[in-house]
């Protein structure tokens, strides 16, 4: 075993990992990266097929990002936003507001996706109380919702496996049906497999459920990942759901918190997923790709109205009492500015479009495998749901570790991604070449066949 793997096993406690299994398995120690390729300490190369847990946009070791960081390093790495302004954070705030368009005018920086959500939840809660809409406002979010691991973010999450144990620590929030077409109890709008095609028309029952929940007007906000729910299993929402739900939220007087931690910065095709359906949220939470996947940094964008509710005389203490040590970090902001430059270039836009189409075409080859139940794609986010029986959509039991086994078989063939239960995500960095993308999908197909037989049907 490599000495670094030994050190890691001795000292590091890994996130979302059964450490007993980790101790038994040989770990991959990553040392270098270039573009969509990562290299381990043995110089074995891997394709980064989930963009290092959905963070990386333009590839590793990008010359423009590296140069931006080096320029910033010559000035200063970090100064506190508690009491002081700085150049890259001010420029970045302006860029974010201009990119978000609509009514989002103010930017509150923090460290990661979870904190971006905490900020939005606290602001929305206090805004709702101060404006007199409710004294004890609640939050509504989707079944399967995942918005981070801090206690507030977990409170609006609805994945029992992760969240149930901490029930006693959390505030109560309500849950409503997600538009998960593949497992919709009302109709069979999916999958696209010829013999299981739409048998009944979709009547937007899922939107009706949201409307019914919103009726009593007790919510501060509806929290949602627009267009695709990531950790719920890469659940791509049907076209039109977001628009309808956005209107219902607006009509109820509640606010809309868009969690674009995964979907932001071109992942779904538009700069922000909300823009695809022309929905303007009251809060836009971004992190992961904000710095191009280089540094932990997040932002919560909000409206002038929310900002104004926190204005007052000093001794009215209307201040938003919240802040993290690294808020507005200068290095992170410099990386984010460089990343936005690349993202907005014509070359990057063209590459993303080409890649999205190629991914769509390549994924078609998976439908013929017996253990592939659904193949979902939204922009450059794809999820392949593996099932024990595609005819009945019966799920594999989690303890069979089907997703883990398939991803390990992929890693052996030089492609890295991380399963979500029985769903295999593919989120290629935007710099991925056609040959690399084809390899990602081919290796996924081989790994499914190796682990699950996969007799074509
Ligand atoms: N929201 C969404 C939609 C996410 O996907 C994640 C992370 N996977 C988070 C919030 C939490 O972000 P972080 O891990 O940076 O705290």
């Amino acid at each position: 075993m490599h000495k670094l793997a030994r050190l890691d096993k001795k000292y590091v406690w890994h996130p979302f990992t059964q450490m007993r299994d980790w101790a038994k398995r040989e770990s991959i120690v990553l040392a270098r990266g270039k573009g969509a390729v990562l290299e381990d300490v043995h110089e074995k190369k891997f394709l980064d097929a989930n963009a290092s847990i959905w963070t990386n946009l333009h590839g590793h070791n990008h010359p423009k990002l590296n140069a931006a960081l080096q320029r910033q390093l010559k000035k200063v790495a970090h100064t506190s936003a508690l009491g002081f302004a700085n150049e890259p954070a001010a420029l970045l705030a302006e860029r974010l507001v201009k990119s978000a368009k609509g009514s989002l005018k103010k930017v509150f920086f923090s460290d990661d996706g979870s904190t971006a959500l905490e900020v939005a939840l606290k602001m929305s809660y206090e805004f709702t109380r101060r404006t007199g809409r409710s004294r004890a406002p609640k939050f509504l979010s989707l079944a399967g919702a995942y918005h981070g691991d801090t206690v507030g973010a977990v409170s609006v999450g609805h994945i029992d496996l992760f969240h149930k144990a901490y029930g006693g620590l959390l505030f109560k929030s309500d849950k409503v049906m997600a538009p998960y077409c593949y497992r919709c109890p009302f109709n069979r709008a999916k999958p696209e497999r010829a013999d299981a095609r739409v048998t009944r028309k979709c009547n937007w029952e899922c939107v009706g459920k949201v409307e019914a929940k919103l009726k009593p007007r007790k919510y501060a906000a509806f929290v949602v990942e627009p267009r695709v729910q990531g950790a719920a299993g890469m659940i791509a929402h049907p076209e039109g759901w977001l628009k309808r739900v956005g209107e219902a939220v607006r009509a109820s007087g509640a606010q809309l918190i868009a969690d674009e931690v995964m979907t932001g910065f071109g992942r779904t095709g538009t700069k922000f997923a909300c823009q695809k359906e022309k929905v303007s949220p009251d809060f836009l939470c971004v992190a992961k790709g904000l710095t191009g996947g280089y540094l932990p940094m997040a932002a919560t964008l909000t409206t002038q109205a929310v900002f104004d509710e926190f204005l007052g005389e000093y001794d009215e203490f209307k201040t938003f009492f919240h802040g993290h040590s690294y808020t507005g970090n200068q290095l992170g902001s410099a990386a984010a500015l460089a990343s936005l430059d690349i993202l907005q270039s014509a070359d990057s836009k063209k590459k993303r479009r080409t890649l999205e189409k190629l991914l769509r075409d390549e994924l078609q080859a998976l439908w013929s495998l017996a253990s592939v139940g659904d193949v979902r794609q939204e922009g450059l986010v794809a999820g392949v749901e593996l099932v024990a029986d595609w005819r009945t959509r019966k799920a594999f039991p989690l303890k069979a570790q089907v997703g883990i086994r398939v991803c390990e078989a992929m890693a052996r063939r030089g492609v890295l991604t991380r399963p979500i239960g029985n769903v295999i995500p593919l989120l290629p960095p935007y710099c991925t070449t056609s040959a690399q993308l084809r390899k990602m999908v081919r290796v996924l197909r081989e790994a499914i066949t190796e682990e699950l037989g996969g007799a074509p049907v």
Side-chain angles (χ1 to χ4, degrees):
M1 191 192 300
H2 192 278
K3 67 175 188 300
L4 292 173
R6 210 173 309 120
L7 275 185
D8 173 275
K9 288 212 194 306
K10 188 162 177 201
Y11 294 111
V12 181
W13 187 346
H14 284 262
F16 282 97
T17 301
Q18 175 43 255
M19 292 306 289
R20 190 176 274 177
D21 292 341
W22 181 264
K24 284 187 229 147
R25 287 179 180 141
E26 201 178 325
S27 30
I28 296 169
V29 184
L30 296 170
R32 272 170 292 278
K34 182 107 191 95
V37 178
L38 291 168
E39 196 181 300
D40 76 359
V41 284
H42 305 293
E43 293 177 16
K44 180 171 160 85
K45 290 188 167 48
F46 300 90
L47 289 174
D48 189 1
N50 78 342
S52 295
I53 208 80
W54 326 341
T55 58
N56 192 286
L57 300 188
H58 318 294
H60 299 277
N61 232 323
H62 194 288
K64 287 195 174 141
L65 286 166
N66 290 3
L69 282 171
Q70 273 151 9
R71 273 195 306 276
Q72 184 58 45
L73 269 175
K74 286 193 186 128
K75 299 183 195 166
V76 66
H78 177 65
T79 56
S80 172
L82 288 132
F84 308 99
N86 75 63
E87 181 185 344
L91 293 173
L92 177 59
E94 182 194 35
R95 279 286 279 282
L96 287 173
V97 165
K98 288 194 169 153
S99 309
K101 301 189 185 122
S103 51
L104 298 164
K105 300 288 177 218
K106 300 286 173 184
V107 181
F108 193 97
F109 287 114
S110 63
D111 306 340
D112 50 44
S114 306
T115 55
L117 263 294
E118 296 289 335
V119 167
L121 293 171
K122 283 167 92 172
M123 284 181 178
S124 177
Y125 176 82
E126 198 47 19
F127 175 84
T128 308
R129 279 163 29 102
R130 287 184 189 182
T131 51
R133 266 199 64 241
S134 168
R135 280 166 156 222
K138 292 175 72 181
F139 291 93
L140 180 66
S141 46
L142 292 178
Y146 174 85
H147 298 290
D149 293 326
T150 49
V151 169
V154 169
S155 296
V156 292
H158 300 292
I159 299 183
D160 275 358
L161 181 67
F162 303 163
H163 300 152
K164 206 169 167 194
Y166 305 104
L169 269 179
L170 312 175
F171 62 78
K172 276 207 93 47
S173 73
D174 286 349
K175 162 171 92 172
V176 66
M177 175 186 180
Y180 185 2
C181 299
Y182 180 60
R183 298 201 177 276
C184 181
F186 297 106
N187 62 74
R188 301 194 137 221
K190 284 218 163 189
E192 283 129 26
R193 205 190 275 271
D195 43 2
R197 280 249 166 121
V198 183
T199 54
R200 272 187 281 148
K201 196 171 161 287
C202 170
N203 292 314
W204 292 111
E205 289 87 348
C206 53
V207 175
K209 294 273 178 199
V210 178
E211 286 167 346
K213 278 275 182 196
L214 289 167
K215 272 253 160 65
R217 302 170 68 84
K218 59 187 172 186
Y219 295 109
F222 180 58
V223 189
V224 67
E225 278 181 85
R227 299 285 297 188
V228 48
Q229 278 175 274
M234 298 304 164
I235 298 171
H237 297 163
E239 185 72 39
W241 180 87
L242 182 64
K243 182 97 198 142
R244 287 174 166 82
V245 163
E247 281 161 10
V249 171
R250 202 52 80 225
S252 78
Q255 295 187 308
L256 186 67
I257 299 178
D259 176 350
E260 296 230 22
V261 169
M262 190 272 282
T263 57
F265 306 108
R267 252 303 144 202
T268 68
T270 41
K271 197 174 293 159
F272 296 108
C274 277
Q275 293 169 343
K276 264 192 148 167
E277 299 202 25
K278 299 197 169 47
V279 166
S280 181
D282 301 278
F283 296 91
L284 178 70
C285 303
V286 294
K288 290 192 188 276
L290 172 60
T291 59
Y294 262 54
L295 288 158
M297 185 174 198
T300 305
L301 278 71
T302 192
T303 60
Q304 188 70 43
V306 170
F307 180 81
D308 287 349
E309 252 344 289
F310 289 81
L311 297 178
E313 295 304 322
Y314 177 79
D315 58 2
E316 286 180 273
F317 300 119
K318 287 176 136 189
T319 306
F320 183 52
F321 291 108
H322 184 114
H324 304 279
S325 309
Y326 282 97
T327 293
N329 175 259
Q330 298 218 28
L331 274 180
S333 302
L337 284 167
S339 173
L340 286 171
D341 283 343
I342 303 168
L343 192 74
Q344 278 159 354
S345 69
D347 182 46
S348 172
K349 284 182 190 162
K350 191 167 156 232
K351 261 198 197 128
R352 278 167 3 230
R353 274 198 302 274
T354 310
L355 214 53
E356 179 179 336
K357 179 166 184 317
L358 183 64
L359 182 59
R360 204 169 293 286
D361 293 346
E362 290 296 304
L363 286 172
Q364 296 311 312
L366 299 179
W367 282 110
S368 64
L369 297 179
S371 44
V372 168
D374 195 20
V375 181
R376 311 185 264 271
Q377 185 186 348
E378 170 72 15
L380 284 171
V381 179
V384 176
E385 183 162 339
L386 303 171
V387 287
D389 185 340
W390 68 267
R391 288 180 183 82
T392 59
R393 304 174 192 214
K394 185 168 176 259
F396 282 112
L398 261 193
K399 67 174 184 213
Q401 300 195 27
V402 161
I404 293 175
R405 279 163 40 209
V406 167
C407 288
E408 284 180 352
M410 290 174 76
R412 289 195 290 276
R413 290 169 166 80
V415 176
L416 301 181
T417 184
R418 186 176 168 87
I420 303 167
N422 298 324
V423 176
I424 313 295
L426 291 181
L427 291 88
Y430 305 158
C431 64
T432 305
T433 64
S434 302
Q436 288 171 334
L437 191 91
R438 286 197 182 94
K439 178 170 175 185
M440 286 175 188
V441 181
R442 189 183 70 241
V443 160
L444 171 57
R445 188 184 161 89
E446 287 169 8
I448 295 171
T449 309
E450 178 183 309
E451 286 301 318
L452 306 171
V457 287

